[in-house]
């Protein structure tokens, strides 16, 4: 069981001797095996929130809880996938995938064996010994996701992982991610700018305000799983998209 909970997180930065608030009273949770998305205006502090969850930043106030333990400021307890693949160019594909397991204390031989087992499952069989530069952007993102998936931490934080991909590749990656997640049901907290992406992937969505960010609405996504792309054509999908779009538009105008 892996449940992530943020309790009344406040944070700010000092700029030119002035305190600039970034996050205000953020409370949210991700249940075991749940896919939760965060969506908000650009610069609303979503990445800062991930840094707090990962223990890279200690919040001004508030707490991070994982499996009923206060882990505020603790590192190494979540699996993280950044906006860019962040692959080591001198390491082979299998060695890049194995890295998270090695860092967690697994032997290199065991980590490589696991990587070789999984690469064909995500459509990368035959690329084990290639270097990252030979792969397309979407394929590199698969490597990055697999590295995060095979790390021992149960909670995964994905920070706009498909934001730099073209529209067709992005849609294909969304379906691919959903298929892999349906098989494993890790607890995922996903940051995105795309309303459609959040609705297609998530069980619940937190909508954030402008900076200083606070939760302005929590939505339960009503579509059944396993989820197919045709859900995007349903009237309820469009109604929810328009509702979230309206919330974000109001924030941008305020």
């Amino acid at each position: 069981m892996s449940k992530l909970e943020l309790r009344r997180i406040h944070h700010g930065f000092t700029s030119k001797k002035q305190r600039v608030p970034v996050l205000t009273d953020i409370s949210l949770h991700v249940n075991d095996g749940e896919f939760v998305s965060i969506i908000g205006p650009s610069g609303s502090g979503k990445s800062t929130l991930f840094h707090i969850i990962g223990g890279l930043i200690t919040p001004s106030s508030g707490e991070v809880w994982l499996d009923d333990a206060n882990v505020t400021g603790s590192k190494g307890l979540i699996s993280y996938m950044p906006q860019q693949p962040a692959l080591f160019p001198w390491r082979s594909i299998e060695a890049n995938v194995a890295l998270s397991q090695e860092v967690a204390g697994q032997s290199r031989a065991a980590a490589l064996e696991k990587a070789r087992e999984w690469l064909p499952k995500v459509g990368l069989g035959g690329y084990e010994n290639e270097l990252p530069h030979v792969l397309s952007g979407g394929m590199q993102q698969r490597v990055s996701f697999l590295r995060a998936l095979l790390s021992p931490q149960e909670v995964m934080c994905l920070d706009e992982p498909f934001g730099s991909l073209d529209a067709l590749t992005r849609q294909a990656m969304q379906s691919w991610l959903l298929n892999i997640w349906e098989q494993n049901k890790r607890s995922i907290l996903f940051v995105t700018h795309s309303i459609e992406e959040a609705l297609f992937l998530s069980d619940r969505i937190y909508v954030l305000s402008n900076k200083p960010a606070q939760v302005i609405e929590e939505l339960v996504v009503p579509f059944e799983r396993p989820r197919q792309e045709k859900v995007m054509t349903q009237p309820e999908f469009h109604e929810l998209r328009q509702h979230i779009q309206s919330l974000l538009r109001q924030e941008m105008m305020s």
Side-chain angles (χ1 to χ4, degrees):
M1 297 282 293
S2 290
K3 178 178 179 178
L4 173 69
E5 186 178 2
L6 305 187
R7 298 182 181 178
R8 310 201 69 172
I9 297 289
H10 292 256
H11 193 65
F13 296 103
T14 301
S15 175
K16 297 179 181 177
K17 298 182 180 179
Q18 218 175 7
R19 190 68 175 169
V20 180
V22 177
L23 304 170
T24 302
D25 200 24
I26 299 282
S27 293
L28 58 82
H29 67 278
V30 182
N31 292 322
D32 183 53
E34 192 178 28
F35 199 124
V36 175
S37 286
I38 296 174
I39 192 165
S42 294
S44 60
K46 300 183 293 296
S47 293
T48 300
L49 200 59
F50 269 14
H51 292 157
I52 289 172
I53 294 169
L56 300 176
I57 296 174
T58 300
S60 305
S61 66
E63 297 170 343
V64 180
W65 285 69
L66 186 63
D67 296 339
D68 299 320
N70 186 341
V71 298
T72 311
S74 300
K75 300 181 183 70
L77 301 179
I78 64 160
S79 175
Y80 176 67
M81 180 178 173
Q83 296 177 20
Q84 300 299 326
L87 304 179
F88 289 102
W90 60 87
R91 290 181 71 119
S92 67
I93 299 307
E94 63 179 27
N96 267 287
V97 170
L99 185 61
S100 62
Q101 301 167 78
E102 290 181 59
V103 169
Q106 189 101 342
S107 72
R108 181 174 175 81
L112 285 171
E113 184 179 349
K114 193 77 170 176
R116 290 171 191 142
E117 175 192 338
W118 268 88
L119 280 164
K121 295 180 183 180
V122 299
L124 291 171
Y127 290 94
E128 291 85 353
N129 295 309
E130 299 287 355
L131 293 175
H133 74 270
V134 308
L135 302 185
S136 68
M139 293 167 81
Q140 289 188 24
Q141 287 297 76
R142 291 189 190 194
V143 175
S144 183
F145 178 79
L146 185 55
R147 178 176 59 191
L149 182 69
L150 295 184
S151 68
Q153 298 86 356
E154 284 295 320
V155 175
M156 300 178 67
C157 289
L158 279 55
D159 189 359
E160 289 192 79
F162 308 142
S164 63
L165 303 177
D166 64 82
L168 281 176
T169 305
R170 183 172 187 155
Q171 193 167 351
M173 286 298 296
Q174 289 166 6
S175 296
W176 175 84
L177 170 59
L178 205 53
N179 180 54
I180 295 293
W181 176 78
E182 297 273 9
Q183 297 173 39
N184 293 273
K185 288 292 176 77
R186 298 280 285 277
S187 304
I188 290 182
L189 187 59
F190 186 94
V191 162
T192 179
H193 275 109
S194 169
I195 299 171
E196 289 85 356
E197 187 168 75
L199 285 170
F200 179 53
L201 295 173
S202 310
D203 295 307
R204 287 185 298 112
I205 299 171
Y206 288 97
V207 183
L208 299 189
S209 69
N210 265 323
K211 194 185 293 183
Q214 56 187 322
V215 176
I216 53 176
E217 191 160 335
E218 176 190 349
L219 295 99
V220 175
V221 180
F223 311 115
E224 63 182 17
R225 296 192 186 276
R227 202 167 289 168
Q228 307 294 329
E229 285 186 19
K230 64 183 179 183
V231 74
M232 297 184 187
T233 64
Q234 294 182 15
E236 194 170 5
F237 188 96
H238 293 290
E239 288 168 13
L240 283 168
R241 183 185 64 188
Q242 289 174 344
H243 175 67
I244 296 172
Q245 201 165 31
S246 174
L247 290 173
L248 294 174
R249 191 179 293 121
Q250 288 171 27
E251 282 304 310
M252 293 181 72
M253 293 173 64
S254 62

